[in-house]
Amino acid sequence: MQGQTSTRLCDSMFEPAVAVPDHLEGRPGRWLLFDRRQQLLLVDGELPVAAAPMGGVTDVHVLGHDRDGPVWAARIGSDFDFPERGEFTDLRRAYAALAEHDWVLAGRAAQVLTWHDDHQYCSRCGNETEHHDGERARTCPACRLMAFPRLTPAVIMLVERDDGQALLAWGRQFPGRFFSALAGFVEPGESLEQCVAREVREEAGVEVANVRYFGSQPWPFPHSLMVGFNADYAGGDLRIQESEIVEADWFPHDRLPPVPKGRMSIAGWLIEDWVNRMTNR
Ligand SMILES: [Zn+2]
């Protein structure tokens, strides 16, 4: 399963680029078109295909290319000529509609467009920034500060006890009552392994050992990179951080509470991998 997890994000054949290479010039490609509320345009349930920017789009970015041709991202403007059979979808809901490869591209596009919107002005001196021709960056003409797309690393970890039970928690920000692996954002100056240990200590009051890399996933809500780990319980009693966690407990794999469903998130991959290992041991 760990192998499958890494394969799913390694085999896309997508090459990021900021310009269309000569041999693909003029070829039709897929367009990731978002409106200002970050809703994605699908036409007949698919990403629209075109060889050139459609009328009424702004902030056009070449994302790169894959075996199907160039891939672009752009923002839909107010005078966009809305296509017949077009519909907007939320990026999370788009997972059900799109092939996984296209959904990952949509997340990439959403992050680039968010970065573009958020870096129109220099954060150091306040001047308007300019597009950089050679790389994915915006430059300040006054003070030369460069702004690259922002990525916020976060760790997500499944803590297991040697009796086969795993620690799952109902996070306060979850949309309903379900339980998942603990997670948290990486602090400046901290290694990923230190972050795993700190977050588990803060949110659940327990210590971990033997922190092992599991896999990673871009998470475009709005610009996280989720880095998944397995870890072993090493001591302490559960004591939840009430500002973050509603409820947490140790669960055996055959008596699970409601957990993330489906294959969309690394939380689901971690739990599925653990259930498979416990089922087969
Ligand atoms: Zn500046």
Side-chain angles (χ1 to χ4, degrees):
M1 169 59 209
Q2 239 166 303
Q4 285 172 25
T5 302
S6 22
T7 312
R8 43 195 287 132
L9 292 175
C10 290
D11 68 354
S12 70
M13 304 292 289
F14 177 80
E15 282 187 49
V18 295
V20 176
D22 288 346
H23 73 281
L24 292 177
E25 200 61 61
R27 277 264 299 274
R30 303 206 290 311
W31 285 80
L32 289 309
L33 298 173
F34 285 88
D35 72 2
R36 291 272 163 209
R37 298 167 306 137
Q38 207 71 333
Q39 301 278 303
L40 175 67
L41 178 74
L42 300 181
V43 178
D44 280 333
E46 305 267 354
L47 298 177
V49 174
M54 283 148 269
V57 303
T58 61
D59 309 345
V60 175
H61 296 264
V62 174
L63 285 187
H65 47 271
D66 61 16
R67 60 191 117 192
D68 296 323
V71 181
W72 286 276
R75 194 64 85 181
I76 285 171
S78 51
D79 54 350
F80 180 66
D81 193 9
F82 199 81
E84 236 184 282
R85 300 189 307 278
E87 55 168 345
F88 282 117
T89 182
D90 176 77
L91 189 52
R92 288 175 197 267
R93 283 206 314 270
Y95 184 80
L98 293 174
E100 174 136 350
H101 174 69
D102 284 351
W103 187 74
V104 173
L105 288 179
R108 188 185 281 264
Q111 293 189 68
V112 167
L113 293 171
T114 299
W115 159 75
H116 179 97
D117 286 351
D118 292 351
H119 291 85
Q120 291 297 299
Y121 295 92
C122 175
S123 62
R124 183 195 280 153
C125 77
N127 261 281
E128 271 190 60
T129 56
E130 293 174 345
H131 169 79
H132 190 296
D133 278 338
E135 51 189 319
R136 187 91 57 212
R138 296 193 66 81
T139 322
C140 174
C143 77
R144 313 310 302 168
L145 184 71
M146 289 175 81
F148 300 96
R150 177 175 167 191
L151 275 182
T152 309
V155 295
I156 180 163
M157 48 279 175
L158 194 71
V159 183
E160 299 173 43
R161 272 194 329 209
D162 55 15
D163 64 359
Q165 301 196 58
L167 178 58
L168 298 172
W170 172 13
R172 208 160 275 289
Q173 83 287 10
F174 293 178
R177 184 180 183 274
F178 71 91
F179 289 71
S180 188
L182 293 173
F185 291 110
V186 182
E187 296 275 343
E190 186 173 56
S191 74
L192 298 173
E193 292 82 356
Q194 286 170 331
C195 183
V196 168
R198 176 183 56 76
E199 285 287 344
V200 176
R201 190 182 303 122
E202 285 176 4
E203 295 193 342
V206 303
E207 299 297 324
V208 296
N210 195 16
V211 176
R212 308 176 298 284
Y213 178 71
F214 172 81
S216 66
Q217 182 188 32
W219 191 243
F221 305 103
H223 38 59
S224 290
L225 174 65
M226 302 300 295
V227 190
F229 292 90
N230 296 105
D232 295 339
Y233 168 76
D237 295 324
L238 270 188
R239 193 184 62 252
I240 65 169
Q241 184 181 28
E242 287 180 1
S243 57
E244 300 278 334
I245 305 291
V246 182
E247 195 183 331
D249 211 341
W250 298 97
F251 292 94
H253 74 281
D254 52 359
R255 286 203 300 283
L256 283 179
V259 294
K261 285 196 181 67
R263 309 282 299 135
M264 183 171 134
S265 72
I266 192 168
W269 310 346
L270 271 164
I271 292 169
E272 186 182 292
D273 166 68
W274 164 67
V275 169
N276 287 341
R277 279 190 284 111
M278 291 303 115
T279 307
N280 297 323
R281 82 171 179 167

